[in-house]
């Protein structure tokens, strides 16, 4: 298995979408009747169509997650691709001891954290452009809103830039937890599984992170 498999049999890694059925073991199984764990167990047996389905299903969320961690579009796609390569390479040792997404995001988090550590002194502190499209939705929420006054538009841009800056400045685990909770819509239990923490510890971690953000962003919250 090499990087070629990600493009073989798929429309493209950059634009793939999950098809309705998953062809596995000479049969077609509705996605409504099979769990991600079941699909990954089929990947474990060498079923490449099952792997293609998982890539298609989680490509966009994974790129979005990586983008929010590294703030670089091309790097986000490269890291997301590496996540799926690691999933495939780990197929023989895969055991369904947790939700598939927990296992997937654990791989992604470890990769992103290692990347951040390795490149800390090689990249600028802030590479985010306020008019850059969201990697997941394709929209540009930071662009001027005609319904807002010029002053309100400036304040909105400043607020969004400040939020990004303060989230990026959080301690590593808090930053990852906030991104998973706020942007990936993951609940406490899922985040706890990824970070290998108890649910209570995860709640405390997020509480501290949000308290820090609330304090540092209070001038925007208060509107002053």
């Amino acid at each position: 298995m090499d990087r070629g498999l990600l493009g073989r049999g798929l429309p493209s890694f950059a634009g793939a979408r999950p098809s309705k059925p998953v062809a596995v073991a000479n049969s077609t199984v509705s996605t409504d009747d099979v769990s991600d764990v079941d699909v990954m167990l089929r990947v474990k047996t060498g079923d490449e169509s099952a792997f293609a389905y998982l890539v298609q299903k989680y490509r966009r969320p994974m790129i979005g997650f990586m983008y929010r961690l590294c703030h670089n579009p091309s790097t986000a796609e490269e890291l997301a691709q590496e996540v799926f390569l690691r999933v495939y390479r780990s197929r023989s040792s895969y055991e369904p001891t947790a939700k598939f997404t927990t296992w997937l995001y654990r791989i992604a988090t470890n990769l992103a954290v290692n990347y951040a550590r390795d490149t800390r002194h090689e990249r600028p502190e802030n590479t985010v452009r306020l008019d850059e499209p969201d990697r997941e939705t394709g929209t540009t929420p930071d662009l001027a809103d005609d319904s807002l006054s010029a002053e309100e538009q400036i304040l909105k841009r400043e607020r969004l830039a400040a939020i990004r800056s303060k989230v990026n400045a959080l301690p590593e685990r808090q930053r990852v937890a906030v991104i998973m909770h706020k942007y990936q819509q993951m609940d406490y239990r899922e985040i706890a599984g990824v970070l290998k923490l108890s649910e209570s510890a995860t709640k405390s971690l997020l509480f501290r992170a949000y308290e820090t953000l609330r304090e540092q962003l209070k001038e925007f919250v208060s509107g002053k």
Side-chain angles (χ1 to χ4, degrees):
M1 166 64 188
D2 58 22
R3 292 179 185 271
L5 179 58
L6 288 176
R8 191 164 68 249
L10 296 176
S12 76
F13 183 75
R17 292 189 179 186
S19 55
K20 181 65 177 175
V22 185
V24 184
N26 300 319
S27 66
T28 300
V29 181
S30 167
T31 55
D32 295 333
D33 299 327
V34 64
S35 71
D36 291 334
V37 168
D38 292 329
V39 176
M40 187 61 208
L41 287 173
R42 292 172 184 182
V43 175
K44 185 174 182 176
T45 69
D47 191 324
E48 292 189 3
S49 65
F51 175 67
Y53 165 75
L54 291 175
V55 173
Q56 291 170 338
K57 182 176 182 180
Y58 288 105
R59 178 194 66 82
R60 291 185 67 182
M62 192 52 54
I63 291 176
F65 179 62
M66 289 302 191
Y67 179 70
R68 290 183 177 102
L69 288 169
C70 72
H71 303 292
N72 182 290
S74 60
T75 299
E77 294 207 26
E78 290 174 6
L79 290 175
Q81 180 163 295
E82 181 61 30
V83 169
F84 290 112
L85 287 171
R86 293 188 180 192
V87 165
Y88 193 87
R89 290 167 183 160
S90 302
R91 67 193 185 284
S92 61
S93 60
Y94 174 75
E95 295 295 337
T97 56
K99 287 179 63 177
F100 173 77
T101 50
T102 298
W103 184 64
L104 178 68
Y105 275 93
R106 190 177 294 158
I107 292 173
T109 298
N110 289 338
L111 179 63
V113 167
N114 289 337
Y115 170 81
R117 288 172 178 169
D118 292 343
T119 62
R120 183 170 294 151
H121 303 297
E122 301 173 12
R123 53 196 168 89
E125 286 299 312
N126 184 9
T127 59
V128 177
R129 296 203 315 270
L130 288 178
D131 60 349
E132 198 163 35
D134 184 272
R135 298 298 300 169
E136 201 165 345
T137 65
T139 60
T140 51
D142 299 343
L143 290 178
D145 184 342
D146 292 338
S147 67
L148 301 177
S149 68
E151 184 178 354
E152 288 171 333
Q153 289 173 8
I154 292 172
L155 181 60
K156 180 182 177 183
R157 287 172 179 265
E158 288 179 349
R159 182 186 296 115
L160 290 168
I163 290 171
R164 289 192 180 100
S165 175
K166 298 307 180 185
V167 169
N168 290 338
L170 288 171
E172 200 166 80
R173 274 197 166 188
Q174 290 185 22
R175 180 168 65 99
V176 172
V178 166
I179 290 172
M180 285 191 285
H181 186 246
K182 197 70 175 176
Y183 299 104
Q184 305 301 115
Q185 287 79 52
M186 296 170 69
D187 60 30
Y188 293 127
R189 188 173 185 177
E190 291 175 306
I191 298 169
V194 172
L195 299 180
K196 296 184 177 181
L197 297 172
S198 66
E199 283 191 57
S200 60
T202 299
K203 290 178 182 178
S204 295
L205 184 73
L206 281 166
F207 177 80
R208 292 195 301 273
Y210 287 133
E211 280 295 296
T212 297
L213 293 174
R214 191 173 294 112
E215 175 63 26
Q216 294 181 345
L217 297 167
K218 61 184 178 183
E219 65 175 290
F220 293 103
V221 174
S222 65
K224 295 179 180 179

